[in-house]
Amino acid sequence: QYSFPPAADRRMYDAEGAFLYEDSIYIFSKNRSGFLTYMYVIPDIAGVHTAVVKDSIDLSDRIVTAAALSPDKSKMALLGYTLDRKHGFPKFLSTLFVFSNFTAGNFCDGEMLRIKLPHRQFEAVDFRTNDLIYLGAEKTPIHKPILGKVDLTQLKYSSPKE
């Protein structure tokens, strides 16, 4: 991308989700033009680098807002929500995607668990343990910010009283 903002049909290079794995940084696109999420890789060394597309995945009209890797590197989480295709506004149909049983660096090839979340603008995800994930939702004109969690051993979402 060489200009900002790009035309509506070229809004595929925004990225909000990234994490470090071994000697590389993995970056996940927030593709608002085709809704296919691209996984880019750049080396974790100083210098000028070109991001290389390593993989892509269709997350059913979700745009990725965050990514995280479990402490033992056995699980990857992608957080996303849907957009109103006509107007480009969030619908806040949030979903947490948890990948496991993947081969080194090929996160999208693993098994995918899909967890529906409350209708909020979730923008942050991180693993507390290998099975406990924290999620952050932004303040909006009608919602307070919240910190929620997903316990993968119970496949359950919870948050403090809103």
Side-chain angles (χ1 to χ4, degrees):
Q1 177 177 331
Y2 297 99
S3 63
F4 189 84
D9 64 343
R10 302 280 302 152
R11 293 187 179 164
M12 64 186 92
Y13 299 110
D14 188 3
E16 294 185 3
F19 57 76
L20 179 67
Y21 176 71
E22 294 182 353
D23 61 353
S24 298
I25 300 170
Y26 288 75
I27 303 166
F28 296 85
S29 68
K30 182 178 181 179
N31 184 352
R32 288 173 281 180
S33 60
F35 298 99
L36 187 64
T37 299
Y38 294 96
M39 181 176 74
Y40 296 91
V41 181
I42 58 173
D44 180 31
I45 55 174
V48 177
H49 305 286
T50 299
V52 176
V53 176
K54 182 166 182 170
D55 205 348
S56 63
I57 188 164
D58 183 350
L59 297 175
S60 302
D61 292 345
R62 270 35 176 203
I63 57 170
V64 172
T65 58
L69 194 60
S70 65
D72 70 358
K73 299 175 179 39
S74 69
K75 297 180 183 89
M76 176 194 67
L78 295 178
L79 183 61
Y81 58 75
T82 58
L83 282 182
D84 178 316
R85 284 182 179 261
K86 184 175 181 183
H87 302 101
F89 297 114
K91 284 188 188 178
F92 306 126
L93 300 175
S94 296
T95 305
L96 176 66
F97 300 92
V98 180
F99 295 81
S100 60
N101 297 319
F102 44 77
T103 56
N106 296 310
F107 306 104
C108 300
D109 292 342
E111 297 172 18
M112 183 177 70
L113 173 65
R114 182 185 180 115
I115 302 168
K116 291 182 181 180
L117 300 171
H119 291 126
R120 298 295 297 272
Q121 187 173 347
F122 285 98
E123 296 276 351
V125 64
D126 204 2
F127 282 85
R128 174 74 172 112
T129 67
N130 294 322
D131 292 312
L132 184 61
I133 299 173
Y134 280 97
L135 309 164
E138 291 185 350
K139 178 181 177 183
T140 68
I142 58 172
H143 291 113
K144 294 179 183 179
I146 61 167
L147 177 66
K149 63 183 176 180
V150 172
D151 183 343
L152 295 176
T153 63
Q154 299 179 20
L155 295 180
K156 184 171 81 173
Y157 169 83
S158 65
S159 74
K161 211 178 222 185
E162 295 182 37

